[in-house]
Amino acid sequence: MNFIKKLFKSLLILIVILAVVGFFLPSSTRVDRTVSISAPADKVFPYINNFEQFNRWSPWFGIDPDASTTYSGPDEGVGAKMSWTSEHPQVGNGSQEIVESVANKFVRTRLDFAEQGGAEATFSIAESGTGSDVTWAFESEWGFNLVGRYIGLMLDGMVGDMYDKGLSKLKQLVESE
C-alpha cells in the first residue's frame, strides 16, 4: 500500500511540475524556411496562390498521392479552399483556405487539421537580385493549452524538414518551367 501511495504522490508531483513549466513555455510557435529561386515573383506566385499548383510541390501530397482532395471556391486567391482526407498519419484530414492574397508578394492561409486544431501558414515573396526569396511560415497560437505549448517545442523538427523539402521542389518546378 505504501508503494501505491508513493507512486501516486510521485505522479501527482510530476504532473504539477509539468503544468507549472508549461505556463512558462511560449504560447505561440512559428516555424519558417526560405529558399532562393532564380525566377521573378510573378513566375513563383501562381504556385502558391492556387492549391492545384500547390499540390504539385507540396511535401504532404507526395507522402500520400492517393489522399482524397477536393477544391472549392475560386481557382486562386482569397476564398480558394482545399480539403483532404488520408489514412496516412502524417497527412490526416483537414482543409486549407486562402484568406489573404497580395499579387506577387504574399499569401496567408488558414489551416484546419480537424481534431488537431487550426493554424496559419504564410508565403512571402521578396525580389532578390535576379530572382525571388520565398519564405514559408507556419504559426500556431496555443493560449493556455499546455499540451500545445509542449508540442510547440517540437514543431520546428516536425514541420521544418517538410518545408525544406517542399521549397526545394518548388524551386525545381519554377526554375524548370
Side-chain angles (χ1 to χ4, degrees), residues 131-159:
S132 305
D133 290 336
V134 178
T135 299
W136 188 3
F138 176 90
E139 298 179 56
S140 191
E141 292 290 329
W142 306 110
F144 292 106
N145 179 341
L146 299 183
V147 173
R149 289 180 181 210
Y150 278 101
I151 290 171
L153 295 176
M154 301 177 285
L155 209 51
D156 191 81
M158 293 165 42
V159 175

Side-chain angles (χ1 to χ4, degrees), residues 7-59:
L7 180 63
F8 180 74
K9 185 177 178 182
S10 296
L11 286 174
L12 188 59
I13 289 170
L14 178 63
I15 290 170
V16 168
I17 290 170
L18 289 173
V20 169
V21 169
F23 279 110
F24 289 99
L25 296 176
S27 62
S28 64
T29 304
R30 178 181 168 93
V31 176
D32 60 47
R33 295 293 190 273
T34 301
V35 68
S36 294
I37 299 177
S38 296
D42 66 330
K43 299 296 183 202
V44 177
F45 188 71
Y47 291 94
I48 63 175
N49 196 46
N50 177 308
F51 287 124
E52 290 188 51
Q53 293 297 326
F54 172 80
N55 270 346
R56 292 179 64 194
W57 59 272
S58 167

Side-chain angles (χ1 to χ4, degrees), residues 12 33 42 66 68 76 83 94 131 156 162:
L12 188 59
R33 295 293 190 273
D42 66 330
D66 294 325
S68 174
E76 60 188 34
S83 300
D156 191 81
M162 296 300 280

Side-chain angles (χ1 to χ4, degrees), residues 89-158:
Q90 275 187 286
V91 179
N93 304 321
S95 66
Q96 183 170 209
E97 180 177 0
I98 297 176
V99 295
E100 184 178 355
S101 178
V102 178
N104 304 326
K105 295 194 182 302
F106 183 81
V107 173
R108 179 185 314 279
T109 67
R110 182 169 299 118
L111 296 144
D112 180 358
F113 297 112
E115 60 277 352
Q116 283 93 14
E120 284 195 349
T122 58
F123 301 90
S124 303
I125 306 172
E127 296 281 347
S128 172
T130 60
S132 305
D133 290 336
V134 178
T135 299
W136 188 3
F138 176 90
E139 298 179 56
S140 191
E141 292 290 329
W142 306 110
F144 292 106
N145 179 341
L146 299 183
V147 173
R149 289 180 181 210
Y150 278 101
I151 290 171
L153 295 176
M154 301 177 285
L155 209 51
D156 191 81
M158 293 165 42

